[in-house]
Amino acid sequence: MRDQTDGKDAMKLSDATLGDLPDGISTPAYDRSKLTPGIVHIGLGNFHRAHQAWYLHRLMQQGLAHDWAIIGAGVRPGDALMRDRLLQQDCLTTLVELDPDSASVEIIGSMIDFVAIDDTNAPLIAAMSDPRIRIVSLTVTEGGYYQSEDGGLDTDHPDIAHDMAKPDRPVTAFGAMIAAYRARRDAGHPAFTGQCCDNLENNGDVLRRTIVGLARLSDPALAQWIDDNARFPNAMVDCIVPATGEAELSFVQNLGVDDAAPVTHENYRQWVIEDRFCAGRPPWEQAGATMTDNVHPYESMKIRVLNAGHQVLANAGEILGLDTIADCMADPVIAAFFHKVQTEEILPYVDAVDGMAALDYLALIERRFANPKIRDTTRRVAFDGSARHPGFVLPILRDALAAGGSIAGLALVEALWARMCAGMREDGTAIEPNDPFWDQLSEAAMRAKSQPSAWLEMRQPYGDLAGDGRFADAFSRWLTTIWVDGTQAALKAYAT
């Protein structure tokens, strides 16, 4: 890879300039003009391009899957900005892999178009109705599946109520998928596979429940057709992909590439997929994915150690003004806290997977989190705690309570979240709103400063956990300690 420059001679990324990029930057070896679509992906952010789109690009580099190209899509007005950026560079993306000692750069070309953003979602429905599309995949975040407290469909949500009343003008990705299933059924075309790429346990099952449940509210016969004909494979996805900011844009410019939406990522990927598709699939295994009949053990290990581990770190980091997850791991007190919570309160509820012992997997995660080249901000990781804590942390807490195991560290994790949601770091700087329910969380956090039980009384996310005396007492002690003595004092008290 060439040495960095001042960026002034960076080449505007496009199909026409691929041959003019600096030496050492890998580019597509396939003829992109000959690619045809097979996948519509909804929620086209950094993670998708560093993960699923990369796996497909890798297949295409081998001369495979040229009829499986990706069409990007979104259902939010803000998605139009990403669409404009990518279309201006022929839907190419610069991926920069960062390990602690080096960096490598490649241009991937597995995406060929981006659906127009429209408040009726008519262009998206039309794209998914095309019989060439055999997979519709999604990355819409863990909190984007409209799940109720009991794991069903939240029929009280305004978006769901809208799509139930106006199925021909849906506002959700799921309503749009249902409209496309209807069009395909009526035209005599087969169903497509719905492939969830979000960090949810049994994510394919969650997607199926959302789709079939929403369809049943307006068209029970269509819901039955979807349930009978479509497939929703479970999958585990893994790659740490930070948000792109000015530093990442400048880095790529200095490498000689003018890319409006580059992506940086760690030197690790994993994708474990349930081999259950209704209309064919790319040979993902030839790009390094694991195809299996049982995703759950992989999924459970990753979500409990990595995703819950992120929540162990991020709130403490935000309160103490640490910018990144690597900064948290470099802090000896936070690192000791993380290791103890993991070994004593998380790993007891994680099984070994495919020859990987839980302790070995923890060591891998600790190395990945400590990578200083990956500027994964505590703010990004702490975002949407109202979905991530009930999705990642609280299931472990419930298991520990049921087993009579230690819960002191997990209670401290929840107390740190409550303290973070008060909206002020210990140095006096403000923590900007960082959750769809920030106002509700902040109000509860301020009441909990003098009455800790006020935090646990929130039905979402805690449900009946407020009534568990062990957890409530431990939480109250930690939150009081944090407010009176400070976060570092609480972490030291637990870790030593």
Side-chain angles (χ1 to χ4, degrees):
M1 188 176 68
R2 65 177 254 170
D3 293 335
Q4 292 193 18
T5 71
D6 61 7
K8 292 179 181 178
D9 61 346
M11 184 68 65
K12 179 66 178 176
L13 183 59
S14 71
D15 281 332
T17 62
L18 284 174
D20 300 320
L21 295 176
D23 293 340
I25 294 178
S26 172
T27 58
Y30 44 91
D31 183 349
R32 297 187 74 233
S33 69
K34 301 253 179 84
L35 300 180
T36 56
I39 298 171
V40 168
H41 184 84
I42 303 171
L44 203 136
N46 283 11
F47 180 81
H48 163 72
R49 289 182 290 149
H51 196 265
Q52 184 192 38
W54 176 87
Y55 277 94
L56 188 57
H57 168 75
R58 188 172 181 182
L59 288 176
M60 291 175 172
Q61 293 286 67
Q62 300 173 44
L64 303 171
H66 288 185
D67 60 340
W68 284 100
I70 296 166
I71 296 176
V75 295
R76 301 172 302 176
D79 293 322
L81 179 60
M82 179 63 78
R83 178 177 187 267
D84 291 344
R85 287 174 175 171
L86 290 175
L87 287 179
Q88 288 173 13
Q89 56 194 48
D90 297 324
C91 295
L92 294 163
T93 288
T94 307
L95 293 184
V96 182
E97 179 183 284
L98 300 172
D99 70 29
D101 301 315
S102 63
S104 62
V105 184
E106 63 182 326
I107 310 298
I108 66 168
S110 52
M111 178 182 169
I112 58 172
D113 201 0
F114 203 126
V115 176
I117 307 300
D118 184 277
D119 58 8
T120 69
N121 279 311
L124 172 58
I125 294 167
M128 294 187 293
S129 301
D130 184 336
R132 294 179 299 173
I133 299 303
R134 286 148 286 161
I135 292 174
V136 173
S137 53
L138 305 95
T139 44
V140 296
T141 77
E142 298 82 12
Y145 287 80
Y146 299 95
Q147 294 186 87
S148 62
E149 186 179 306
D150 63 1
L153 181 65
D154 182 5
T155 55
D156 293 330
H157 196 285
D159 292 347
I160 297 300
H162 175 281
D163 284 7
M164 178 176 62
K166 299 179 179 179
D168 57 333
R169 295 174 62 89
V171 296
T172 72
F174 314 109
M177 291 173 69
I178 292 166
Y181 279 126
R182 180 184 299 108
R184 292 172 76 115
R185 180 200 62 179
D186 294 349
H189 299 318
F192 53 76
T193 295
Q195 187 165 22
C196 179
C197 299
D198 280 305
N199 286 311
L200 293 163
E201 288 203 54
N202 302 309
N203 59 5
D205 295 338
V206 171
L207 177 58
R208 185 193 64 79
R209 285 198 302 270
T210 302
I211 294 285
V212 174
L214 178 55
R216 190 170 286 125
L217 296 174
S218 59
D219 190 338
L222 176 61
Q224 190 62 53
W225 184 87
I226 295 169
D227 210 17
D228 290 343
N229 292 278
R231 295 293 180 269
F232 303 90
N234 292 306
M236 183 273 275
V237 297
D238 191 9
C239 184
I240 296 174
V241 185
T244 296
E246 289 302 320
E248 289 75 23
L249 290 166
S250 296
F251 181 81
V252 172
Q253 282 271 340
N254 289 337
L255 294 174
V257 185
D258 183 3
D259 184 335
V263 176
T264 59
H265 60 90
E266 65 172 333
N267 58 333
Y268 181 90
R269 284 183 185 86
Q270 190 177 21
W271 197 8
V272 182
I273 311 169
E274 185 178 23
D275 200 356
R276 189 157 56 95
F277 292 74
C278 63
R281 62 170 176 84
W284 297 121
E285 63 273 31
Q286 295 190 47
T290 299
M291 307 304 299
T292 180
D293 292 330
N294 187 12
V295 171
H296 182 71
Y298 297 89
E299 188 178 61
S300 179
M301 175 179 274
K302 185 260 179 173
I303 285 176
R304 293 193 168 206
V305 180
L306 187 150
N307 295 105
H310 263 157
Q311 301 314 301
V312 172
L313 295 169
N315 301 135
E318 271 284 63
I319 298 166
L320 295 173
L322 299 175
D323 289 338
T324 69
I325 294 300
D327 292 338
C328 293
M329 293 299 290
D331 182 296
V333 176
I334 296 180
F337 160 62
F338 176 82
H339 188 79
K340 185 174 181 179
V341 173
Q342 288 278 1
T343 54
E344 296 186 5
E345 302 184 27
I346 296 178
L347 294 193
Y349 312 102
V350 173
D351 294 327
V353 173
D354 197 22
M356 172 73 78
L359 271 173
D360 293 336
Y361 187 70
L362 173 60
L364 170 65
I365 297 304
E366 288 177 323
R367 290 194 300 272
R368 292 169 62 193
F369 282 3
N371 183 351
K373 294 287 187 67
I374 298 297
R375 295 199 57 77
D376 200 13
T377 65
T378 51
R379 178 172 177 79
R380 186 198 76 84
V381 173
F383 173 72
D384 201 9
S386 60
R388 293 181 175 185
H389 280 258
F392 303 149
V393 180
L394 299 185
I396 308 169
L397 176 63
R398 291 181 182 277
D399 284 351
L401 287 168
S406 172
I407 57 138
L410 294 170
L412 177 51
V413 171
E414 295 307 295
L416 290 164
W417 181 35
R419 170 63 182 83
M420 192 270 291
C421 288
M424 191 71 68
R425 298 184 183 88
E426 290 189 348
D427 64 7
T429 58
I431 298 173
E432 297 300 322
N434 201 23
D435 194 286
F437 301 98
W438 184 259
D439 290 345
Q440 175 187 339
L441 294 171
S442 294
E443 179 185 352
M446 292 310 298
R447 287 190 287 114
K449 183 176 180 179
S450 58
Q451 182 189 347
S453 62
W455 179 260
L456 300 183
E457 287 167 2
M458 291 187 293
R459 291 293 299 176
Q460 205 293 327
Y462 289 104
D464 60 358
L465 279 171
D468 188 288
R470 284 184 65 209
F471 172 54
D473 289 348
F475 173 87
S476 296
R477 288 195 302 272
W478 285 128
L479 188 58
T480 300
T481 298
I482 292 167
W483 278 114
V484 173
D485 300 323
T487 297
Q488 286 274 359
L491 296 175
K492 287 179 181 176
Y494 170 75
T496 56

